[in-house]
Amino acid sequence: MSWKIPREWRDAVSRVPAPRLPGVGPRLSAVGLAVPKGSVVADIGADHGLLSRALLRADRARFVHATDASSAALDGAVKALAWGVSAGRASVAVGDGFEAIPPNEVDCAVLAGTGSVTALDIVRRGLATGHRPSRIVFQPSGGEHDVRTEMVTLGYGLVAEQLVAEGQRLFMVLAFEDGEGLMTIDGLEDRYVGPFIKNAPGPLLGAWLDVQKDWLSGLIERADSGTAKDALQERFAVVSCLALNH
């Protein structure tokens, strides 16, 4: 998911140094820089292949498996990674999740721009078929809190999370390590904001908290009374308190 940066925060956010990996923008740069150098990478939902290409050129990856469930989506990746395939450093294949990748081959999996429900389903199915990367990096399109809690139940600890701005929007990147890092997500702040992000200095967090307040206010107004509304109000209180103290 991405969030539109409030107008009053845009100038301050624009002065924050953006992560940079040659060939891609700040969002995919943040994903790529969370990949340990020299990894065998699964770029799941690779689409145009630009992240895969950037990982190879920056030597973040020694080999990349670029996969996507759509053959049409991979047309760009075939072109972008032709040199990598020729050099024996890349493969491009149609497949749902890990299904086109041999088991026990990948050190790091990246799932960028995929919804949390789909991304977590891909991870669970991968684990069931012998795919357990040491690191998994997400840039989910929504449901970041569900990614945190579910990955911990699967035995992965949270090792890094980051807000990143690109254009006039904010994105969130989360990295998990098998059996390492934060193995519990304690309390509403950690679940809904993030144990690393909640303590981040600077305007990115301030802008994100203001966006969350507006978004949650709208959901609360439209929600029927009951457990769901109570949960939204509790979440709003957490975000509002952090925003007040930021």
Side-chain angles (χ1 to χ4, degrees), residues 3-6 170 206-216:
W3 302 271
K4 190 173 183 178
I5 300 168
L170 289 169
W208 184 82
L209 289 170
D210 279 358
V211 171
Q212 291 294 295
K213 285 168 55 184
D214 289 346
W215 176 62
L216 289 167

Side-chain angles (χ1 to χ4, degrees), residues 19-83:
R20 281 297 177 192
L21 203 61
V24 290
R27 176 181 71 93
L28 290 181
S29 290
V31 174
L33 291 170
V35 173
K37 285 187 176 181
S39 297
V40 174
V41 178
D43 183 3
I44 297 174
D47 194 19
H48 40 55
L50 296 182
L51 175 59
S52 292
R53 184 176 66 185
L55 289 170
L56 289 173
R57 287 184 169 171
D59 288 326
R60 305 297 301 188
R62 67 178 187 273
F63 190 95
V64 173
H65 295 276
T67 74
D68 202 292
S70 166
S71 58
L74 281 176
D75 286 347
V78 170
K79 296 175 184 176
L81 294 172
W83 66 275

Side-chain angles (χ1 to χ4, degrees), residues 169-216:
R169 306 199 73 84
L170 289 169
F171 302 86
M172 192 177 290
V173 175
L174 305 99
F176 297 84
E177 196 84 15
D178 188 13
E180 303 288 340
L182 296 178
M183 301 301 297
T184 58
I185 301 298
D186 295 321
L188 294 175
E189 283 188 4
D190 284 2
R191 183 183 181 198
Y192 289 117
V193 181
F196 296 106
I197 286 177
K198 71 180 183 181
N199 295 315
L204 292 178
L205 177 57
W208 184 82
L209 289 170
D210 279 358
V211 171
Q212 291 294 295
K213 285 168 55 184
D214 289 346
W215 176 62
L216 289 167

